[in-house]
């Protein structure tokens, strides 16, 4: 059982012929048989030192063993800042902010924002800074405009930025396409309405009937 969603464990056990077959949960394993645990550590949105664990539950004396997966993840992208926070603003206000996205090793890429589910009142523009003749760049300016027309309340939107560079050796997506390098940033704001209350409720404590 993986301790988080970033690992996938596949358990196989030797059969009578010595070949590894998928293990059926709850089925006794004969003494002396070897067991394989194939696990994958997904590194999307992880940076530098990262780890995960797989718990192995058995009916032997220890009851549980732990396998650890560790890796040092070299980021494909660098973001500055890592997120944009417009703090407090009104429904009629407008604010702009920007971040710089660069490729860590100087790869020239095309970068596209995934705008699905973006709240009304947010606008995102991706501008390559050092683009070549094909429009590929190593440095991008992400300009975000908040308002007017934002919905009242707290806004937290995760904005994926997807490149056109495929990830070597990665499994294909359900649609058959190769996954590409991408990074996500957060856009946050607290939007005030036209009416505010200093006190949200009143309490009169314990009262007698008809008072």
């Amino acid at each position: 059982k993986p301790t988080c969603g970033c690992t996938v464990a596949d358990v196989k056990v030797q059969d009578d012929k010595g070949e590894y077959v998928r293990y059926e949960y709850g089925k006794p394993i004969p003494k002396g048989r070897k067991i394989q645990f194939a696990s994958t550590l997904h590194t999307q949105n992880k940076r530098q030192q990262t780890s995960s664990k797989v718990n192995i539950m058995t009916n032997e004396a220890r009851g549980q063993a732990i396998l650890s997966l560790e890796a040092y993840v070299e980021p494909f992208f660098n973001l500055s800042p890592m997120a944009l926070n417009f703090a407090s603003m009104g429904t009629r206000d407008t604010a702009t902010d920007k971040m710089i996205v660069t490729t860590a090793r100087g790869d020239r890429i095309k970068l596209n924002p995934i705008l699905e589910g973006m709240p009304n009142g947010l606008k995102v523009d991706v501008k390559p800074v050092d683009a070549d003749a094909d429009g590929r760049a190593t440095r991008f300016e992400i300009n975000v405009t908040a308002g007017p027309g934002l919905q009242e309340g707290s806004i937290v939107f995760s904005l994926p930025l997807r490149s056109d560079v495929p990830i070597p050796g990665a499994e294909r997506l359900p649609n058959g396409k190769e996954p590409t390098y991408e990074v996500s940033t957060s856009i946050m704001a607290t939007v005030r309405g036209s009416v505010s209350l200093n006190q949200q409720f009143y309490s009169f404590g314990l009262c007698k009937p008809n008072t």
Side-chain angles (χ1 to χ4, degrees):
K1 182 179 179 181
T3 57
C4 68
C6 57
T7 59
V8 178
D10 186 21
V11 183
K12 292 185 178 182
V13 63
Q14 278 183 327
D15 61 11
D16 295 336
K17 299 179 181 179
E19 299 179 352
Y20 286 95
V21 297
R22 187 180 295 274
Y23 174 65
E24 297 180 19
Y25 179 75
K27 185 177 180 180
I29 300 175
K31 183 178 179 180
R33 297 289 174 87
K34 294 182 179 180
I35 306 169
Q36 285 186 346
F37 298 89
S39 302
T40 301
L41 176 62
H42 297 291
T43 59
Q44 184 176 8
N45 295 328
K46 292 182 171 59
R47 303 172 67 88
Q48 299 182 348
Q49 194 69 31
T50 185
S51 63
S52 184
K53 291 180 173 59
V54 179
N55 294 324
I56 304 170
M57 278 73 73
T58 72
N59 61 347
E60 55 96 34
R62 287 184 299 174
Q64 177 174 298
I66 299 176
L67 293 181
S68 296
L69 304 178
E70 296 185 358
Y72 185 88
V73 183
E74 182 183 36
F76 187 83
F77 294 104
N78 289 320
L79 278 67
S80 180
M82 295 295 293
L84 297 180
N85 191 344
F86 289 95
S88 179
M89 56 188 301
T91 55
R92 298 182 180 181
D93 295 340
T94 301
T96 59
D97 205 348
K98 68 178 181 180
M99 68 170 48
I100 300 297
V101 178
T102 59
T103 56
R105 291 188 173 185
D107 298 84
R108 287 195 170 273
I109 65 170
K110 290 184 178 180
L111 190 65
N112 297 308
I114 310 302
L115 305 180
E116 297 176 5
M118 187 170 67
N120 293 331
L122 282 181
K123 299 180 182 66
V124 176
D125 178 57
V126 178
K127 178 183 177 182
V129 177
D130 58 344
D132 59 16
D134 295 327
R136 308 172 75 85
T138 65
R139 184 180 177 90
F140 297 83
E141 191 176 276
I142 312 299
N143 295 287
V144 179
T145 302
L150 291 171
Q151 186 175 356
E152 181 181 345
S154 296
I155 294 176
V156 179
F157 175 62
S158 180
L159 174 66
L161 300 167
R162 184 174 297 166
S163 76
D164 61 339
V165 179
I167 302 174
E171 296 180 3
R172 289 186 176 272
L173 300 173
N175 59 9
K177 294 184 178 180
E178 288 184 297
T180 59
Y181 288 104
E182 67 177 62
V183 65
S184 294
T185 184
S186 294
I187 301 173
M188 297 168 285
T190 301
V191 184
R192 306 184 308 273
S194 56
V195 177
S196 63
L197 296 175
N198 292 329
Q199 187 165 336
Q200 299 294 324
F201 66 92
Y202 290 91
S203 174
F204 293 98
L206 182 63
C207 300
K208 294 182 178 180
N210 302 321
T211 59

